[in-house]
Amino acid sequence: MLQSSSLSDDLLTLVNDDNVQDDNRDQIKSTIFSLEDSFRTSTNTNNTTTLSADDLSRFQPLLGLYEVKSVITSNPKDNPVGGKWTRANSLMQKLFRTRSTFQHLVQFNSTGLSSTYAEAVAEAINIISLDALDGLLRATVILRGDAVPLSIEQRDEMNMNRTSSTPSSSLLTPLTNLVVRAYFDPPRIYFGKRRDRRGSSSYSYLPLQIGPKSSVVLDTTYCDEQVRIGMGGTSGSRFVFTATDNLEAKEYVSLLKLPYIKKWKLLAQLSTALVISLWYIFGSNAVGDMIRDNLISPLSLKAGIKFSTSTEVLHFHLK
């Protein structure tokens, strides 16, 4: 294990320097594979002869707070962490900068939000944190899910389908008995504004929950006290996670406790803001005409409503 410890330190050195990462991608990849080989041999993660499939204690060492430090994909242009939120040419990256990305594995139901998957062994918390205007504005995206171990049958079936014809075959290795499927809630998005422009760290947030549920398969191919290496279940992409205890990594705890705004309430607020803006720009008569022609007239034909406008307010009359 001394060799693994040395390799782990080497990997930390490589991934902690952003300038080094681009120049030493192959070295990072080689170090990852060496660590995986030693871990596979020492822990017997390829089978269940030493650890029963029902013995879930094997997942306990994986729990912790982790920052995403490096991603190795078959195509260097791929962006499996953050997608449109962190893609270099995306609208979000033109408005915001990526502050940090995390992927935590925490004790099951530590957030109090787990209720569906009783067989889960942990909660997966994926976090993308962005800010703009020197921290005045902030956007945080959180995916919270329950991590459920794959059965031996499910793992064997996925391993059989990992053929050499896949584009990422150079990264695909057999799934281990640490593989899980994370069932994620709809994304939670928190738009924040700093309360005090003079350096305060306190923010007021607009919490939203928008989008569909999702699930992904993620394996752990190496883990020690400093580093956890994850592997995408279908792509084979490698993720280097480093243990962290900084305050940014813990912000999700308080954010997940905020009640998010219902969609109808958000729509009402946005509509009100839009009408006020139009009123200010075009004047009351113009706004009344636009609402009458584009919204009320079509509805009145079905609802039996007639209307009239004045300079101050719209009047509705039931027929």
mmCIF file of all heavy atoms in Angstrom, residues 119-167:
data_model
loop_
_atom_site.group_PDB
_atom_site.id
_atom_site.type_symbol
_atom_site.label_atom_id
_atom_site.label_comp_id
_atom_site.label_asym_id
_atom_site.label_seq_id
_atom_site.Cartn_x
_atom_site.Cartn_y
_atom_site.Cartn_z
ATOM 1 N N GLU A 119 -33.290 0.825 -0.095
ATOM 2 C CA GLU A 119 -32.081 0.017 -0.248
ATOM 3 C C GLU A 119 -30.844 0.861 -0.525
ATOM 4 O O GLU A 119 -29.750 0.323 -0.722
ATOM 5 C CB GLU A 119 -32.271 -0.999 -1.385
ATOM 6 C CG GLU A 119 -32.428 -0.412 -2.772
ATOM 7 C CD GLU A 119 -33.864 -0.046 -3.140
ATOM 8 O OE1 GLU A 119 -34.618 0.318 -2.229
ATOM 9 O OE2 GLU A 119 -34.204 -0.141 -4.329
ATOM 10 N N ALA A 120 -30.990 2.189 -0.540
ATOM 11 C CA ALA A 120 -29.857 3.074 -0.827
ATOM 12 C C ALA A 120 -28.812 2.989 0.277
ATOM 13 O O ALA A 120 -29.131 2.763 1.449
ATOM 14 C CB ALA A 120 -30.334 4.508 -0.989
ATOM 15 N N VAL A 121 -27.539 3.170 -0.104
ATOM 16 C CA VAL A 121 -26.437 3.109 0.856
ATOM 17 C C VAL A 121 -25.852 4.487 1.146
ATOM 18 O O VAL A 121 -25.035 4.637 2.056
ATOM 19 C CB VAL A 121 -25.309 2.185 0.339
ATOM 20 C CG1 VAL A 121 -25.792 0.750 0.283
ATOM 21 C CG2 VAL A 121 -24.804 2.647 -1.025
ATOM 22 N N ALA A 122 -26.249 5.498 0.370
ATOM 23 C CA ALA A 122 -25.710 6.849 0.563
ATOM 24 C C ALA A 122 -26.570 7.832 -0.207
ATOM 25 O O ALA A 122 -27.416 7.445 -1.027
ATOM 26 C CB ALA A 122 -24.259 6.932 0.085
ATOM 27 N N GLU A 123 -26.351 9.101 0.077
ATOM 28 C CA GLU A 123 -26.902 10.175 -0.744
ATOM 29 C C GLU A 123 -25.784 10.743 -1.607
ATOM 30 O O GLU A 123 -24.676 10.995 -1.114
ATOM 31 C CB GLU A 123 -27.486 11.294 0.113
ATOM 32 C CG GLU A 123 -28.878 11.037 0.635
ATOM 33 C CD GLU A 123 -29.438 12.257 1.354
ATOM 34 O OE1 GLU A 123 -29.133 12.432 2.545
ATOM 35 O OE2 GLU A 123 -30.178 13.035 0.710
ATOM 36 N N ALA A 124 -26.060 10.934 -2.884
ATOM 37 C CA ALA A 124 -25.117 11.588 -3.786
ATOM 38 C C ALA A 124 -25.542 13.041 -3.940
ATOM 39 O O ALA A 124 -26.706 13.327 -4.247
ATOM 40 C CB ALA A 124 -25.095 10.889 -5.133
ATOM 41 N N ILE A 125 -24.613 13.956 -3.725
ATOM 42 C CA ILE A 125 -24.895 15.391 -3.816
ATOM 43 C C ILE A 125 -23.944 15.996 -4.845
ATOM 44 O O ILE A 125 -22.747 16.152 -4.572
ATOM 45 C CB ILE A 125 -24.715 16.116 -2.468
ATOM 46 C CG1 ILE A 125 -25.400 15.353 -1.321
ATOM 47 C CG2 ILE A 125 -25.214 17.545 -2.564
ATOM 48 C CD1 ILE A 125 -26.887 15.432 -1.309
ATOM 49 N N ASN A 126 -24.453 16.299 -6.026
ATOM 50 C CA ASN A 126 -23.651 16.952 -7.061
ATOM 51 C C ASN A 126 -23.927 18.454 -7.039
ATOM 52 O O ASN A 126 -25.084 18.867 -7.040
ATOM 53 C CB ASN A 126 -23.999 16.399 -8.446
ATOM 54 C CG ASN A 126 -23.568 14.952 -8.617
ATOM 55 O OD1 ASN A 126 -22.950 14.372 -7.727
ATOM 56 N ND2 ASN A 126 -23.897 14.359 -9.746
ATOM 57 N N ILE A 127 -22.868 19.255 -7.037
ATOM 58 C CA ILE A 127 -23.015 20.703 -6.870
ATOM 59 C C ILE A 127 -22.173 21.441 -7.896
ATOM 60 O O ILE A 127 -21.000 21.119 -8.108
ATOM 61 C CB ILE A 127 -22.558 21.145 -5.459
ATOM 62 C CG1 ILE A 127 -23.322 20.372 -4.385
ATOM 63 C CG2 ILE A 127 -22.749 22.647 -5.283
ATOM 64 C CD1 ILE A 127 -22.679 20.446 -3.015
ATOM 65 N N ILE A 128 -22.798 22.422 -8.551
ATOM 66 C CA ILE A 128 -22.075 23.355 -9.412
ATOM 67 C C ILE A 128 -22.321 24.742 -8.843
ATOM 68 O O ILE A 128 -23.464 25.183 -8.705
ATOM 69 C CB ILE A 128 -22.582 23.308 -10.859
ATOM 70 C CG1 ILE A 128 -22.509 21.894 -11.413
ATOM 71 C CG2 ILE A 128 -21.778 24.264 -11.750
ATOM 72 C CD1 ILE A 128 -23.332 21.699 -12.657
ATOM 73 N N SER A 129 -21.264 25.444 -8.490
ATOM 74 C CA SER A 129 -21.373 26.779 -7.916
ATOM 75 C C SER A 129 -20.736 27.780 -8.869
ATOM 76 O O SER A 129 -19.592 27.613 -9.291
ATOM 77 C CB SER A 129 -20.676 26.827 -6.553
ATOM 78 O OG SER A 129 -20.772 28.121 -5.984
ATOM 79 N N LEU A 130 -21.504 28.826 -9.224
ATOM 80 C CA LEU A 130 -21.018 29.862 -10.129
ATOM 81 C C LEU A 130 -21.248 31.227 -9.507
ATOM 82 O O LEU A 130 -22.150 31.397 -8.682
ATOM 83 C CB LEU A 130 -21.746 29.786 -11.485
ATOM 84 C CG LEU A 130 -21.818 28.418 -12.176
ATOM 85 C CD1 LEU A 130 -23.224 27.852 -12.040
ATOM 86 C CD2 LEU A 130 -21.444 28.517 -13.645
ATOM 87 N N ASP A 131 -20.445 32.219 -9.906
ATOM 88 C CA ASP A 131 -20.725 33.579 -9.467
ATOM 89 C C ASP A 131 -20.370 34.581 -10.545
ATOM 90 O O ASP A 131 -19.759 34.247 -11.565
ATOM 91 C CB ASP A 131 -20.030 33.905 -8.131
ATOM 92 C CG ASP A 131 -18.516 33.864 -8.210
ATOM 93 O OD1 ASP A 131 -17.975 33.877 -9.331
ATOM 94 O OD2 ASP A 131 -17.866 33.820 -7.147
ATOM 95 N N ALA A 132 -20.792 35.823 -10.332
ATOM 96 C CA ALA A 132 -20.571 36.897 -11.304
ATOM 97 C C ALA A 132 -20.410 38.211 -10.553
ATOM 98 O O ALA A 132 -20.786 38.337 -9.381
ATOM 99 C CB ALA A 132 -21.740 36.985 -12.275
ATOM 100 N N LEU A 133 -19.845 39.196 -11.244
ATOM 101 C CA LEU A 133 -19.653 40.542 -10.688
ATOM 102 C C LEU A 133 -18.925 40.492 -9.353
ATOM 103 O O LEU A 133 -19.360 41.070 -8.348
ATOM 104 C CB LEU A 133 -21.009 41.254 -10.537
ATOM 105 C CG LEU A 133 -21.827 41.429 -11.835
ATOM 106 C CD1 LEU A 133 -23.135 42.111 -11.534
ATOM 107 C CD2 LEU A 133 -21.026 42.198 -12.880
ATOM 108 N N ASP A 134 -17.808 39.769 -9.370
ATOM 109 C CA ASP A 134 -16.960 39.673 -8.187
ATOM 110 C C ASP A 134 -17.732 39.139 -6.977
ATOM 111 O O ASP A 134 -17.536 39.586 -5.842
ATOM 112 C CB ASP A 134 -16.346 41.040 -7.861
ATOM 113 C CG ASP A 134 -15.169 40.941 -6.893
ATOM 114 O OD1 ASP A 134 -14.514 39.879 -6.880
ATOM 115 O OD2 ASP A 134 -14.911 41.914 -6.166
ATOM 116 N N GLY A 135 -18.594 38.162 -7.235
ATOM 117 C CA GLY A 135 -19.322 37.526 -6.150
ATOM 118 C C GLY A 135 -20.616 38.190 -5.754
ATOM 119 O O GLY A 135 -21.303 37.707 -4.852
ATOM 120 N N LEU A 136 -20.991 39.284 -6.412
ATOM 121 C CA LEU A 136 -22.255 39.951 -6.072
ATOM 122 C C LEU A 136 -23.440 39.036 -6.371
ATOM 123 O O LEU A 136 -24.410 38.975 -5.615
ATOM 124 C CB LEU A 136 -22.396 41.258 -6.854
ATOM 125 C CG LEU A 136 -23.705 42.025 -6.655
ATOM 126 C CD1 LEU A 136 -23.859 42.463 -5.203
ATOM 127 C CD2 LEU A 136 -23.771 43.238 -7.587
ATOM 128 N N LEU A 137 -23.361 38.302 -7.495
ATOM 129 C CA LEU A 137 -24.414 37.364 -7.883
ATOM 130 C C LEU A 137 -23.869 35.944 -7.813
ATOM 131 O O LEU A 137 -22.692 35.705 -8.070
ATOM 132 C CB LEU A 137 -24.900 37.662 -9.306
ATOM 133 C CG LEU A 137 -25.444 39.062 -9.559
ATOM 134 C CD1 LEU A 137 -25.849 39.222 -11.013
ATOM 135 C CD2 LEU A 137 -26.625 39.368 -8.641
ATOM 136 N N ARG A 138 -24.742 35.022 -7.509
ATOM 137 C CA ARG A 138 -24.328 33.626 -7.396
ATOM 138 C C ARG A 138 -25.423 32.719 -7.928
ATOM 139 O O ARG A 138 -26.612 33.008 -7.799
ATOM 140 C CB ARG A 138 -24.012 33.277 -5.944
ATOM 141 C CG ARG A 138 -23.560 31.844 -5.718
ATOM 142 C CD ARG A 138 -22.931 31.691 -4.345
ATOM 143 N NE ARG A 138 -21.709 32.476 -4.247
ATOM 144 C CZ ARG A 138 -21.022 32.635 -3.117
ATOM 145 N NH1 ARG A 138 -21.453 32.085 -2.001
ATOM 146 N NH2 ARG A 138 -19.911 33.351 -3.116
ATOM 147 N N ALA A 139 -25.012 31.618 -8.539
ATOM 148 C CA ALA A 139 -25.945 30.581 -8.985
ATOM 149 C C ALA A 139 -25.395 29.232 -8.544
ATOM 150 O O ALA A 139 -24.228 28.923 -8.797
ATOM 151 C CB ALA A 139 -26.119 30.618 -10.502
ATOM 152 N N THR A 140 -26.212 28.459 -7.863
ATOM 153 C CA THR A 140 -25.803 27.136 -7.386
ATOM 154 C C THR A 140 -26.809 26.109 -7.861
ATOM 155 O O THR A 140 -28.019 26.261 -7.659
ATOM 156 C CB THR A 140 -25.722 27.104 -5.849
ATOM 157 O OG1 THR A 140 -24.832 28.128 -5.389
ATOM 158 C CG2 THR A 140 -25.216 25.755 -5.370
ATOM 159 N N VAL A 141 -26.314 25.073 -8.524
ATOM 160 C CA VAL A 141 -27.156 23.982 -9.015
ATOM 161 C C VAL A 141 -26.837 22.732 -8.193
ATOM 162 O O VAL A 141 -25.669 22.359 -8.057
ATOM 163 C CB VAL A 141 -26.909 23.705 -10.507
ATOM 164 C CG1 VAL A 141 -27.862 22.614 -11.011
ATOM 165 C CG2 VAL A 141 -27.056 24.977 -11.322
ATOM 166 N N ILE A 142 -27.867 22.120 -7.632
ATOM 167 C CA ILE A 142 -27.679 20.936 -6.792
ATOM 168 C C ILE A 142 -28.526 19.783 -7.317
ATOM 169 O O ILE A 142 -29.735 19.935 -7.530
ATOM 170 C CB ILE A 142 -28.050 21.217 -5.319
ATOM 171 C CG1 ILE A 142 -27.180 22.336 -4.746
ATOM 172 C CG2 ILE A 142 -27.906 19.954 -4.481
ATOM 173 C CD1 ILE A 142 -27.509 22.693 -3.306
ATOM 174 N N LEU A 143 -27.873 18.646 -7.520
ATOM 175 C CA LEU A 143 -28.568 17.395 -7.817
ATOM 176 C C LEU A 143 -28.424 16.488 -6.603
ATOM 177 O O LEU A 143 -27.301 16.124 -6.224
ATOM 178 C CB LEU A 143 -27.953 16.709 -9.043
ATOM 179 C CG LEU A 143 -28.448 17.112 -10.420
ATOM 180 C CD1 LEU A 143 -27.718 16.303 -11.494
ATOM 181 C CD2 LEU A 143 -29.951 16.907 -10.560
ATOM 182 N N ARG A 144 -29.540 16.182 -5.964
ATOM 183 C CA ARG A 144 -29.514 15.285 -4.809
ATOM 184 C C ARG A 144 -30.162 13.969 -5.189
ATOM 185 O O ARG A 144 -31.264 13.921 -5.758
ATOM 186 C CB ARG A 144 -30.268 15.900 -3.632
ATOM 187 C CG ARG A 144 -30.090 15.161 -2.303
ATOM 188 C CD ARG A 144 -31.387 15.024 -1.525
ATOM 189 N NE ARG A 144 -32.353 14.192 -2.208
ATOM 190 C CZ ARG A 144 -32.405 12.856 -2.085
ATOM 191 N NH1 ARG A 144 -31.537 12.200 -1.339
ATOM 192 N NH2 ARG A 144 -33.320 12.155 -2.749
ATOM 193 N N GLY A 145 -29.487 12.872 -4.877
ATOM 194 C CA GLY A 145 -30.038 11.573 -5.241
ATOM 195 C C GLY A 145 -29.678 10.490 -4.244
ATOM 196 O O GLY A 145 -28.815 10.669 -3.381
ATOM 197 N N ASP A 146 -30.365 9.363 -4.361
ATOM 198 C CA ASP A 146 -30.105 8.198 -3.521
ATOM 199 C C ASP A 146 -29.281 7.190 -4.308
ATOM 200 O O ASP A 146 -29.638 6.825 -5.437
ATOM 201 C CB ASP A 146 -31.416 7.560 -3.070
ATOM 202 C CG ASP A 146 -32.242 8.500 -2.201
ATOM 203 O OD1 ASP A 146 -31.629 9.264 -1.439
ATOM 204 O OD2 ASP A 146 -33.483 8.470 -2.287
ATOM 205 N N ALA A 147 -28.166 6.746 -3.717
ATOM 206 C CA ALA A 147 -27.243 5.818 -4.374
ATOM 207 C C ALA A 147 -27.601 4.388 -3.985
ATOM 208 O O ALA A 147 -27.498 4.010 -2.815
ATOM 209 C CB ALA A 147 -25.810 6.134 -3.978
ATOM 210 N N VAL A 148 -28.010 3.610 -4.988
ATOM 211 C CA VAL A 148 -28.462 2.239 -4.763
ATOM 212 C C VAL A 148 -27.475 1.268 -5.429
ATOM 213 O O VAL A 148 -27.197 1.399 -6.631
ATOM 214 C CB VAL A 148 -29.871 2.022 -5.355
ATOM 215 C CG1 VAL A 148 -30.327 0.583 -5.158
ATOM 216 C CG2 VAL A 148 -30.864 3.002 -4.727
ATOM 217 N N PRO A 149 -26.926 0.311 -4.693
ATOM 218 C CA PRO A 149 -25.975 -0.633 -5.292
ATOM 219 C C PRO A 149 -26.640 -1.469 -6.392
ATOM 220 O O PRO A 149 -27.808 -1.854 -6.280
ATOM 221 C CB PRO A 149 -25.563 -1.529 -4.117
ATOM 222 C CG PRO A 149 -25.945 -0.771 -2.890
ATOM 223 C CD PRO A 149 -27.126 0.065 -3.254
ATOM 224 N N LEU A 150 -25.886 -1.735 -7.468
ATOM 225 C CA LEU A 150 -26.378 -2.648 -8.487
ATOM 226 C C LEU A 150 -26.271 -4.080 -7.965
ATOM 227 O O LEU A 150 -25.332 -4.420 -7.237
ATOM 228 C CB LEU A 150 -25.549 -2.529 -9.767
ATOM 229 C CG LEU A 150 -25.619 -1.219 -10.560
ATOM 230 C CD1 LEU A 150 -24.942 -1.393 -11.917
ATOM 231 C CD2 LEU A 150 -27.049 -0.747 -10.756
ATOM 232 N N SER A 151 -27.228 -4.890 -8.349
ATOM 233 C CA SER A 151 -27.151 -6.310 -7.994
ATOM 234 C C SER A 151 -26.059 -6.978 -8.825
ATOM 235 O O SER A 151 -25.579 -6.420 -9.823
ATOM 236 C CB SER A 151 -28.496 -6.988 -8.255
ATOM 237 O OG SER A 151 -28.768 -7.006 -9.654
ATOM 238 N N ILE A 152 -25.667 -8.180 -8.413
ATOM 239 C CA ILE A 152 -24.655 -8.918 -9.177
ATOM 240 C C ILE A 152 -25.129 -9.132 -10.603
ATOM 241 O O ILE A 152 -24.357 -8.998 -11.564
ATOM 242 C CB ILE A 152 -24.350 -10.269 -8.492
ATOM 243 C CG1 ILE A 152 -23.751 -10.036 -7.109
ATOM 244 C CG2 ILE A 152 -23.412 -11.111 -9.352
ATOM 245 C CD1 ILE A 152 -23.520 -11.311 -6.326
ATOM 246 N N GLU A 153 -26.411 -9.443 -10.769
ATOM 247 C CA GLU A 153 -26.961 -9.682 -12.106
ATOM 248 C C GLU A 153 -26.912 -8.418 -12.955
ATOM 249 O O GLU A 153 -26.552 -8.466 -14.140
ATOM 250 C CB GLU A 153 -28.405 -10.190 -11.999
ATOM 251 C CG GLU A 153 -28.562 -11.568 -11.358
ATOM 252 C CD GLU A 153 -28.390 -11.537 -9.842
ATOM 253 O OE1 GLU A 153 -28.509 -10.435 -9.253
ATOM 254 O OE2 GLU A 153 -28.140 -12.606 -9.258
ATOM 255 N N GLN A 154 -27.283 -7.281 -12.366
ATOM 256 C CA GLN A 154 -27.245 -6.023 -13.111
ATOM 257 C C GLN A 154 -25.811 -5.665 -13.505
ATOM 258 O O GLN A 154 -25.554 -5.206 -14.619
ATOM 259 C CB GLN A 154 -27.850 -4.903 -12.261
ATOM 260 C CG GLN A 154 -29.346 -5.011 -12.051
ATOM 261 C CD GLN A 154 -29.871 -4.003 -11.039
ATOM 262 O OE1 GLN A 154 -29.199 -3.664 -10.060
ATOM 263 N NE2 GLN A 154 -31.082 -3.514 -11.262
ATOM 264 N N ARG A 155 -24.882 -5.879 -12.595
ATOM 265 C CA ARG A 155 -23.483 -5.566 -12.882
ATOM 266 C C ARG A 155 -22.936 -6.459 -13.992
ATOM 267 O O ARG A 155 -22.266 -5.990 -14.915
ATOM 268 C CB ARG A 155 -22.653 -5.724 -11.604
ATOM 269 C CG ARG A 155 -21.175 -5.486 -11.790
ATOM 270 C CD ARG A 155 -20.499 -5.212 -10.458
ATOM 271 N NE ARG A 155 -20.739 -6.248 -9.485
ATOM 272 C CZ ARG A 155 -19.861 -7.210 -9.183
ATOM 273 N NH1 ARG A 155 -18.698 -7.253 -9.800
ATOM 274 N NH2 ARG A 155 -20.137 -8.106 -8.266
ATOM 275 N N ASP A 156 -23.243 -7.755 -13.910
ATOM 276 C CA ASP A 156 -22.759 -8.689 -14.931
ATOM 277 C C ASP A 156 -23.326 -8.340 -16.304
ATOM 278 O O ASP A 156 -22.630 -8.417 -17.319
ATOM 279 C CB ASP A 156 -23.129 -10.124 -14.556
ATOM 280 C CG ASP A 156 -22.325 -10.639 -13.374
ATOM 281 O OD1 ASP A 156 -21.301 -9.997 -13.042
ATOM 282 O OD2 ASP A 156 -22.721 -11.662 -12.779
ATOM 283 N N GLU A 157 -24.609 -7.950 -16.332
ATOM 284 C CA GLU A 157 -25.232 -7.589 -17.606
ATOM 285 C C GLU A 157 -24.570 -6.354 -18.209
ATOM 286 O O GLU A 157 -24.300 -6.314 -19.417
ATOM 287 C CB GLU A 157 -26.726 -7.332 -17.404
ATOM 288 C CG GLU A 157 -27.467 -6.995 -18.687
ATOM 289 C CD GLU A 157 -28.944 -6.759 -18.468
ATOM 290 O OE1 GLU A 157 -29.421 -6.914 -17.322
ATOM 291 O OE2 GLU A 157 -29.640 -6.398 -19.445
ATOM 292 N N MET A 158 -24.292 -5.344 -17.387
ATOM 293 C CA MET A 158 -23.631 -4.148 -17.889
ATOM 294 C C MET A 158 -22.214 -4.459 -18.355
ATOM 295 O O MET A 158 -21.753 -3.934 -19.373
ATOM 296 C CB MET A 158 -23.600 -3.055 -16.814
ATOM 297 C CG MET A 158 -24.941 -2.406 -16.559
ATOM 298 S SD MET A 158 -24.808 -0.842 -15.633
ATOM 299 C CE MET A 158 -24.019 0.218 -16.846
ATOM 300 N N ASN A 159 -21.516 -5.335 -17.642
ATOM 301 C CA ASN A 159 -20.165 -5.699 -18.050
ATOM 302 C C ASN A 159 -20.152 -6.434 -19.382
ATOM 303 O O ASN A 159 -19.244 -6.258 -20.202
ATOM 304 C CB ASN A 159 -19.491 -6.546 -16.967
ATOM 305 C CG ASN A 159 -18.966 -5.725 -15.807
ATOM 306 O OD1 ASN A 159 -18.662 -4.544 -15.973
ATOM 307 N ND2 ASN A 159 -18.861 -6.329 -14.633
ATOM 308 N N MET A 160 -21.175 -7.231 -19.622
ATOM 309 C CA MET A 160 -21.257 -7.955 -20.896
ATOM 310 C C MET A 160 -21.478 -7.001 -22.057
ATOM 311 O O MET A 160 -21.055 -7.260 -23.186
ATOM 312 C CB MET A 160 -22.402 -8.980 -20.844
ATOM 313 C CG MET A 160 -22.109 -10.190 -19.967
ATOM 314 S SD MET A 160 -23.499 -11.354 -19.944
ATOM 315 C CE MET A 160 -23.578 -11.805 -21.680
ATOM 316 N N ASN A 161 -22.140 -5.878 -21.792
ATOM 317 C CA ASN A 161 -22.442 -4.917 -22.854
ATOM 318 C C ASN A 161 -21.299 -3.930 -23.106
ATOM 319 O O ASN A 161 -21.391 -3.103 -24.012
ATOM 320 C CB ASN A 161 -23.708 -4.124 -22.492
ATOM 321 C CG ASN A 161 -24.947 -5.003 -22.500
ATOM 322 O OD1 ASN A 161 -25.009 -5.991 -23.211
ATOM 323 N ND2 ASN A 161 -25.927 -4.644 -21.682
ATOM 324 N N ARG A 162 -20.254 -4.001 -22.318
ATOM 325 C CA ARG A 162 -19.131 -3.073 -22.477
ATOM 326 C C ARG A 162 -18.183 -3.636 -23.532
ATOM 327 O O ARG A 162 -17.143 -4.220 -23.244
ATOM 328 C CB ARG A 162 -18.412 -2.867 -21.142
ATOM 329 C CG ARG A 162 -19.324 -2.238 -20.101
ATOM 330 C CD ARG A 162 -18.788 -2.440 -18.706
ATOM 331 N NE ARG A 162 -17.768 -1.468 -18.334
ATOM 332 C CZ ARG A 162 -18.026 -0.251 -17.902
ATOM 333 N NH1 ARG A 162 -19.273 0.157 -17.779
ATOM 334 N NH2 ARG A 162 -17.057 0.570 -17.569
ATOM 335 N N THR A 163 -18.559 -3.477 -24.780
ATOM 336 C CA THR A 163 -17.806 -4.061 -25.890
ATOM 337 C C THR A 163 -16.733 -3.115 -26.393
ATOM 338 O O THR A 163 -16.772 -1.908 -26.184
ATOM 339 C CB THR A 163 -18.751 -4.402 -27.060
ATOM 340 O OG1 THR A 163 -19.291 -3.180 -27.573
ATOM 341 C CG2 THR A 163 -19.888 -5.291 -26.599
ATOM 342 N N SER A 164 -15.766 -3.659 -27.107
ATOM 343 C CA SER A 164 -14.652 -2.865 -27.625
ATOM 344 C C SER A 164 -15.077 -1.963 -28.777
ATOM 345 O O SER A 164 -14.297 -1.142 -29.255
ATOM 346 C CB SER A 164 -13.532 -3.793 -28.104
ATOM 347 O OG SER A 164 -14.008 -4.661 -29.112
ATOM 348 N N SER A 165 -16.327 -2.082 -29.229
ATOM 349 C CA SER A 165 -16.793 -1.255 -30.339
ATOM 350 C C SER A 165 -17.232 0.131 -29.883
ATOM 351 O O SER A 165 -17.491 0.992 -30.703
ATOM 352 C CB SER A 165 -17.971 -1.933 -31.053
ATOM 353 O OG SER A 165 -19.059 -2.099 -30.159
ATOM 354 N N THR A 166 -17.321 0.331 -28.565
ATOM 355 C CA THR A 166 -17.758 1.627 -28.067
ATOM 356 C C THR A 166 -16.656 2.653 -28.230
ATOM 357 O O THR A 166 -15.474 2.328 -28.135
ATOM 358 C CB THR A 166 -18.160 1.532 -26.583
ATOM 359 O OG1 THR A 166 -17.057 1.010 -25.858
ATOM 360 C CG2 THR A 166 -19.368 0.643 -26.387
ATOM 361 N N PRO A 167 -17.015 3.927 -28.496
ATOM 362 C CA PRO A 167 -16.010 4.965 -28.726
ATOM 363 C C PRO A 167 -15.042 5.145 -27.560
ATOM 364 O O PRO A 167 -13.915 5.550 -27.752
ATOM 365 C CB PRO A 167 -16.852 6.234 -28.941
ATOM 366 C CG PRO A 167 -18.205 5.751 -29.318
ATOM 367 C CD PRO A 167 -18.388 4.441 -28.628
#
